[in-house]
Amino acid sequence: MKQIILMLLVAFSAPVFAQADANLGIIPAPVSVKKYKGNFRLTSETIIMTDSPNHRAVRYFADYLKKSGMGNSITDMTMLDERHRVNKNVIVLALNFKGDLPSEGYELDINEDKIVLNGRYAGLFYGVQSLIQLIKPVSAGNALIPCAYVKDYPRFSYRGMHLDVSRHFFDVDYVKRYIDIMSFYKLNHFHWHLTDDQGWRIEIKKYPKLTEVGSKRAQTKIGSQSKGDPDLYDNTPYEGFYTQDQIREIVAYADARFITVVPEIEMPGHSMAAVASYPELSCDPTRSYKVGDHWGEFKDVYCPSEETFRIMGEILNEVFELFPGRYIHIGGDEVPKDAWKASEFCKQLITDRNLKDAEGLQSYFISRMERYINAQHHSIIGWDEILEGGLAPNATVMSWRGEKGGISAAQQGHDVIMTPGSGGLYFDHAQSKSTQEPLAIGGNAPLSKTYAYDPVPAVLGKDEQKHVIGVQANLWTEYMATNSKADYMLLPRMLALSEVAWTPVKNKDFRNFSEQRLPGHLARIENKGYNFRVPVAIGASDTTLTGAKFTMELAPSVEGAKIYYTIDGYAPRETDLVYTEPVKITVPQGKEIEFKTIVITPAGKRSNVTTAKLSNK
Ligand code: ACM
């Protein structure tokens, strides 16, 4: 009987990889897809016709074709009369079309002779991304695109990915690659965490010490701070910052991909690097301060003085010049009040301003800065601590300590971006509970958890829900000293985020995402040279199964990867058995056999080892 139940379980949970994918492999899953028979054949002869040859989407597509070795000609169809427009072997990219599409929407009509992509402004770019995802190379200069009709538009207007470049610095090339991968998946806001206790990373011409002093730390903490590792440092100086020219280069690069850069200039806390550079920003300028060399909160924060507001205003004047987007993120999180409580100046300020206590100074500080930023035609975003003591009038709240802050802000009529660590959106958390995961800050945010997150809390009424303008995941880099570690923590979770941010809830399906679409994407991502966490084989897990006869049915989590397995208790590797078909295992009465698997990709990346204990005891 046990066996029968087990066989049924296996049948019910059989991987869905063999089924046809209703989303045609596109990530994030579109709003609607209709499949037709046949394929469009893309070759270097295919003509690209467009009504907008200078649109960023058209230039991006032309560049893509050139890099793929095709170099197709781009024809401005507005220069042709009806008779000269081709109707065979042509791809039309149009902004001016009949009909209506939601903001950032596109429709893609693929027939054997012709592809028509209509897009509503940025929608044309997103349609190009979907089109590129559909291209299946056959041989050099020859590819197939399956016939289909796709209509698509995003669920949220703010689709963000954050990168902390303070705890560890990531160079211009890395940041561009980060922006590239965001744009493949239709994310549109890059939250660039440029300043923190451990390093100030943006050149400010009027305050050169911010980078001369603030971009350098003497050493860096080794190992985990929270798990009680020994108090050890690497004794190695660490530094890095972006010049204003480099920042302009990155902002333009992002803009070409419809990504707005949101700079974060942290205040009043997480500011040791700036206070070390200019002690007059602190409440006790007679002391000397050093750039942080370990993690967590630091007690020395900006003093809410006129001097600080003047300096911060002058810093922001340069920030406004560099970042044309609407939002400036002013941080506002984790502000210990110790320095303010000890300061005679702050005590007097609390009295003069009729504030309740030192907590009120936080709200006073943020509101002062908001007034300045609003006057320069920008809007502030702050972490949810900016709710404390009362929200600044026009602030957008980034809810990271769960959803409570976001809910409260939406109820007060403020815009909200959801980014709760508890929702699987902190990508510094580990990706499984396995001891095989690399050092992470803690927590557990597996791909399935990120994928399942819904940014709109059910407690909000319809009008309040409209204030949830989007969602973001954060990559805090205390424990990511290398590009490959950052990639590993980012991918594939960022693809799940893209589906959270873009896809209607009713179209979300984790099995379809992880088993049918993700393996092909991970193969592409590997070919593009990114690192990523290789998911364990589809159908494999750390588990105990009871019975006598087992059929282990698996599929690779990355297209083209191999699954190796053992039944001898050793960790599998390339020298072991290769999975080619369901493995039948008989366990003698009273015994247990361990079935272990690993996925190894064509480039040699490895998944964790899984162990299924097959027990007939
Ligand atoms: C945060 O994670 N301190 C916003």
Short mmCIF file of all heavy atoms in Angstrom, two decimals, residues 270 333-334 383 400 426 476, ligand 1:
data_model
loop_
_atom_site.label_atom_id
_atom_site.label_comp_id
_atom_site.label_asym_id
_atom_site.label_seq_id
_atom_site.Cartn_x
_atom_site.Cartn_y
_atom_site.Cartn_z
N HIS A 270 23.64 55.93 8.91
CA HIS A 270 24.49 55.23 7.94
C HIS A 270 25.41 56.24 7.25
O HIS A 270 25.52 56.25 6.01
CB HIS A 270 23.64 54.46 6.92
CG HIS A 270 23.04 53.21 7.50
ND1 HIS A 270 23.79 52.11 7.84
CD2 HIS A 270 21.76 52.91 7.83
CE1 HIS A 270 23.00 51.17 8.33
NE2 HIS A 270 21.76 51.62 8.35
N ASP A 333 16.82 55.12 7.30
CA ASP A 333 16.66 53.90 8.10
C ASP A 333 17.68 53.85 9.23
O ASP A 333 18.73 54.48 9.17
CB ASP A 333 16.83 52.65 7.22
CG ASP A 333 18.20 52.61 6.55
OD1 ASP A 333 18.66 53.67 6.08
OD2 ASP A 333 18.79 51.52 6.50
N GLU A 334 17.35 53.09 10.24
CA GLU A 334 18.26 52.69 11.31
C GLU A 334 19.09 53.86 11.83
O GLU A 334 20.31 53.90 11.68
CB GLU A 334 19.19 51.57 10.78
CG GLU A 334 18.40 50.33 10.37
CD GLU A 334 19.28 49.20 9.84
OE1 GLU A 334 20.25 49.46 9.11
OE2 GLU A 334 18.98 48.05 10.18
N TRP A 383 13.29 54.90 3.46
CA TRP A 383 12.95 53.62 4.10
C TRP A 383 11.83 53.88 5.12
O TRP A 383 11.61 55.02 5.55
CB TRP A 383 14.18 53.02 4.78
CG TRP A 383 15.32 52.75 3.82
CD1 TRP A 383 16.49 53.44 3.75
CD2 TRP A 383 15.39 51.73 2.81
NE1 TRP A 383 17.29 52.90 2.76
CE2 TRP A 383 16.64 51.86 2.16
CE3 TRP A 383 14.53 50.72 2.38
CZ2 TRP A 383 17.05 51.02 1.12
CZ3 TRP A 383 14.93 49.88 1.35
CH2 TRP A 383 16.18 50.03 0.72
N TRP A 400 10.46 48.08 4.14
CA TRP A 400 11.42 46.96 4.18
C TRP A 400 11.27 46.11 5.42
O TRP A 400 11.57 44.92 5.40
CB TRP A 400 12.86 47.49 4.06
CG TRP A 400 13.39 48.24 5.26
CD1 TRP A 400 13.15 49.52 5.60
CD2 TRP A 400 14.29 47.73 6.26
NE1 TRP A 400 13.82 49.87 6.75
CE2 TRP A 400 14.55 48.79 7.17
CE3 TRP A 400 14.93 46.49 6.47
CZ2 TRP A 400 15.39 48.64 8.28
CZ3 TRP A 400 15.77 46.35 7.57
CH2 TRP A 400 16.00 47.41 8.46
N TYR A 426 14.94 40.39 0.14
CA TYR A 426 16.31 40.72 0.56
C TYR A 426 17.23 39.64 0.02
O TYR A 426 17.29 38.53 0.54
CB TYR A 426 16.38 40.84 2.10
CG TYR A 426 16.23 42.29 2.54
CD1 TYR A 426 15.18 43.06 2.04
CD2 TYR A 426 17.15 42.89 3.39
CE1 TYR A 426 15.06 44.40 2.40
CE2 TYR A 426 17.03 44.23 3.74
CZ TYR A 426 15.98 44.98 3.24
OH TYR A 426 15.87 46.29 3.59
N TRP A 476 22.11 43.94 -0.63
CA TRP A 476 23.07 44.50 0.34
C TRP A 476 24.32 43.64 0.29
O TRP A 476 24.23 42.41 0.33
CB TRP A 476 22.46 44.50 1.75
CG TRP A 476 21.20 45.31 1.86
CD1 TRP A 476 19.93 44.82 1.91
CD2 TRP A 476 21.10 46.74 1.92
NE1 TRP A 476 19.03 45.87 2.02
CE2 TRP A 476 19.73 47.05 2.02
CE3 TRP A 476 22.03 47.77 1.90
CZ2 TRP A 476 19.26 48.36 2.10
CZ3 TRP A 476 21.58 49.08 1.98
CH2 TRP A 476 20.20 49.36 2.08
C1 ACM B 1 17.68 48.46 5.38
O1 ACM B 1 17.77 47.27 5.07
N1 ACM B 1 18.36 48.91 6.44
C2 ACM B 1 16.87 49.39 4.65
#
